[in-house]
Structures are given as C-alpha cells and as structure tokens.
C-alpha cells in the first residue's frame, strides 16, 4: 500500500477550515510527475495506491494544471502495470462531476469505497459553512455513485454544534446519516480555528450541548457500522495483506494470523499456513465473523 500526493493547498475557504491560510492556495502537480511517482511505487512492490489531496476532484483546475482532469488521471494511473487497487481522498461534493462518478463503473482497479465529506445534513448549516452544495446535490451524488457501483460503501466527515446549529438542524444531520447509511464516519464537535470566518460567529453552541449531540450521532453511526460489518458475513472477497496480527483462537504452530484490507477498506484477519503470508500478497477469503471494528475471514480455494 502506497500514497501519492497529487496537489497541495485548497481554494474552498470553508468557514471552519484553516487549510487555505496554512497551506496556501490550490496547486496541482503535473500529471507526468504523478505518473512517474506511481510507476516508481509499483516498481518498489506496491499493489495499491491512494491518491491524496485536499480537494482531489479539483485537480488540474488551477493555473498549475496541465490540462489533465482528475478522471483522466485516474484512468492513466489505473493503466499502469502491476496496480491492483486504486483509492483517493478527499473529494469535495461540489466538484465531483459525472466523469468522476462514472469512473467507479469504468475503472476496475478503483475500489468500491469512497470517503465523501458531508459535514452537516442541514442546508442552512451547509450555507453558513460555505460548503457550496446542499443536501439535494449530495443525495444526487450518492444515487449516481450507487448506480455506477451498486456495492460502493460510503464514509464521511461530520461536524456537530457549528455556530447557530439548532436542534432541528442537528436532527437533519441524523436523518441524512440514516438516509445515506454510511459504513463509517469521523465526527467532531465544532471548535474555533483562529482566523476563520466561523471563529467570528457569536452564536456558539454550548460545549455541553455539542457533546450531547456528538454522542447521539456516534451512537447512530455505531449501529450503522455494526450492521455493515454483520452484512459482510458470508461474502467472498480478496484481502491485501498488510502485516501479522494477533493469533486467533484455535491457531497452532502450523498457522499464522495476518491482517489485510478488502476492497471496501475493512480490516480482515485471516489464519494462513505458516510461511505463506507476506505484506502485499492478495489472498481469497470468505468472511465468517463480524467483530466490533473488523472482520475474520477464512482462506478459500
């Protein structure tokens, strides 16, 4: 597993975010430099590459761009010999176009997992955050992604207690999380970042109320994540081994426990004959048990 930065900085100026001030404006790398780096990573044994950027869908749209769009870059990297899996973070809903969505249907190496930040399920809060999309736009994206790749799993980022957020607006976030049925999420209480627009808002939510909302959101996500993992039991998949894991019950000296990830990004533990496992090996398994945050698989022929 390897990583390649495709851009630096950001031009979005979300009201809560300090990135444009600390890392500067968006600057895309040349597609040639990125391709060369990915070739080198594959030559060094990588089987999976994750592309990194603050707003990857906007790749190439700044003055440093060389005319290559993000979807075109995905196709070029996917064509490199030796690449088994391709992922990327982080997309922005306002910039994710039809070509980006279609890539999940057209590029076999592109894994069926996407981290698509929502931040809030309330249109009013999204507008105050300067996110430049609404829930209708977000849900249209979700529908398009699931049409392109029916087995796609979505994760997200969420902020609770943004200045001015009412209980009703928070309920809209809970409703959105249920509607999308996220496999996982990173959720946080809003906190001021000096210099940002949101830090100047005076209608702050009380810290205790922010915490109560965060606990309710995370309890909902725990249920959804548990349902996702349980639904994986019985599925056949391939895992890319990352390293040895703790010995499983019933193992003996003839077996070793390894952990890897399936195409959906779930951690899967599997027992293999001693001496067989190694990082970068892809092995076929059937999922037999769902744990709280991971899965157990058995080697299949």
């Amino acid at each position: 597993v390897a990583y390649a930065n495709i851009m630096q900085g950001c031009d979005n100026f979300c009201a809560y975010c300090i990135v444009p001030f600390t890392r500067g404006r968006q600057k895309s790398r040349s597609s040639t430099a990125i391709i060369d780096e990915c070739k080198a990573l594959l030559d060094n044994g990588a089987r999976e590459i994750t592309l990194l950027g603050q707003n990857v869908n906007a790749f190439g749209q700044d003055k440093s761009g060389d005319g290559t769009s993000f979807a075109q870059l995905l196709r070029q990297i996917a064509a490199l010999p030796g690449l088994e899996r391709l992922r990327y973070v982080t997309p922005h809903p306002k910039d994710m176009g039809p070509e980006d969505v279609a890539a999940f249907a057209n590029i076999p190496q592109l894994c069926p997992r996407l981290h698509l930040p929502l931040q809030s399920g309330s249109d009013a809060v999204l507008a105050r955050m300067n996110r430049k999309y609404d829930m209708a736009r977000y849900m249209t994206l979700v529908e398009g992604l699931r049409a392109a790749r029916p087995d796609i799993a979505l994760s997200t980022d969420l902020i609770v207690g943004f200045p001015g957020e009412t209980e009703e607006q928070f309920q809209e976030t809970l409703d959105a999380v249920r509607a999308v049925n996220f496999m996982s999420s990173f959720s946080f209480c809003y906190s001021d970042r000096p210099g940002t627009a949101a830090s100047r808002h005076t209608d702050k939510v009380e810290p205790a109320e922010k915490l109560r909302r965060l606990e309710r959101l995370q309890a909902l996500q725990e249920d959804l994540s548990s349902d996702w993992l349980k639904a994986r039991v019985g599925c056949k998949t391939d895992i890319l081994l990352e390293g040895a894991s703790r010995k499983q019950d019933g193992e003996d000296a003839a077996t070793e426990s390894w952990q890897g990830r399936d195409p959906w990004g779930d951690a899967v533990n599997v027992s293999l004959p001693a001496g067989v496992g190694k990082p970068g090996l892809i092995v076929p398994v059937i999922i037999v048990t769902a744990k709280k945050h991971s899965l157990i698989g058995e080697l299949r022929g």
Side-chain angles (χ1 to χ4, degrees):
V1 179
Y3 300 87
N5 275 296
I6 66 170
M7 64 207 307
Q8 299 292 333
C10 184
D11 287 348
N12 286 323
F13 290 93
C14 297
Y16 52 81
C17 184
I18 200 68
V19 166
F21 304 101
T22 58
R23 300 184 190 170
R25 303 297 293 269
Q26 179 180 304
K27 184 177 181 181
S28 299
R29 295 179 63 198
S30 78
S31 58
T32 301
I34 297 167
I35 296 296
D36 287 346
E37 181 176 344
C38 289
K39 285 179 181 175
L41 292 171
L42 294 169
D43 288 343
N44 285 330
R47 310 281 304 273
E48 175 183 310
I49 293 176
T50 298
L51 305 180
L52 305 176
Q54 196 70 29
N55 180 14
V56 290
N57 308 101
F59 171 80
Q61 296 177 19
D62 50 84
K63 61 184 180 181
S64 298
D66 58 12
T68 303
S69 71
F70 181 60
Q72 289 170 335
L73 181 69
L74 290 177
R75 289 195 293 272
Q76 291 173 18
I77 294 172
L80 295 176
L83 181 71
E84 297 284 346
R85 295 179 181 177
L86 181 60
R87 307 181 193 272
Y88 62 80
V89 287
T90 306
H92 195 299
K94 79 175 177 65
D95 291 312
M96 193 165 193
E99 242 192 330
D100 300 331
V101 172
F104 283 95
N106 302 330
I107 301 177
Q109 295 87 349
L110 193 56
C111 290
R113 163 75 183 273
L114 184 66
H115 188 77
L116 188 63
L118 174 61
Q119 306 302 1
S120 172
S122 164
D123 285 349
V125 175
L126 289 171
R128 290 201 299 276
M129 288 178 167
N130 194 34
R131 290 292 287 170
K132 301 184 177 74
Y133 58 83
D134 57 17
M135 277 306 303
R137 159 68 176 164
Y138 192 93
M139 293 307 295
T140 297
L141 263 181
V142 170
E143 291 164 10
L145 288 162
R146 290 196 166 135
R149 187 72 193 257
D151 61 346
I152 197 167
L154 300 174
S155 56
T156 200
D157 294 330
L158 297 159
I159 296 172
V160 301
F162 189 78
E165 181 189 70
T166 65
E167 171 62 24
E168 291 74 21
Q169 290 166 348
F170 172 68
Q171 285 287 345
E172 290 182 281
T173 294
L174 296 180
D175 291 343
V177 169
R178 291 189 191 96
V180 178
N181 192 21
F182 292 110
M183 69 176 291
S184 67
S185 63
F186 296 100
S187 50
F188 311 89
C189 288
Y190 168 80
S191 61
D192 283 336
R193 295 293 184 269
T196 61
S199 68
R200 298 190 289 273
H201 289 218
T202 56
D203 50 352
K204 300 293 197 303
V205 178
E206 288 295 318
E209 178 59 27
K210 286 192 289 189
L211 279 173
R212 283 193 291 269
R213 292 179 187 177
L214 183 65
E215 288 168 358
R216 290 159 62 193
L217 173 60
Q218 292 182 341
L220 170 60
Q221 184 61 65
E222 276 288 319
D223 289 342
L224 296 179
S225 298
S226 176
D227 290 346
W228 162 262
L229 291 174
K230 288 174 184 174
R232 299 284 294 130
V233 174
C235 293
K236 295 178 180 178
T237 188
D238 297 323
I239 64 170
L240 177 63
L241 298 184
E242 295 179 346
S245 60
R246 286 183 296 181
K247 218 167 182 55
Q248 304 299 313
D249 292 339
E251 283 189 338
D252 54 34
T255 60
E256 295 173 338
S257 186
W258 282 79
Q259 186 176 90
R261 293 194 182 269
D262 65 12
W264 293 269
D266 288 317
V268 182
N269 291 286
V270 62
S271 292
L272 299 175
V276 168
K278 61 179 181 179
L281 180 68
I282 294 178
V283 297
V285 302
I286 183 168
I287 304 300
V288 294
T289 305
K291 308 290 272 186
K292 188 172 183 180
H293 298 295
S294 63
L295 298 165
I296 295 177
E298 287 183 356
L299 191 64
R300 60 185 171 88

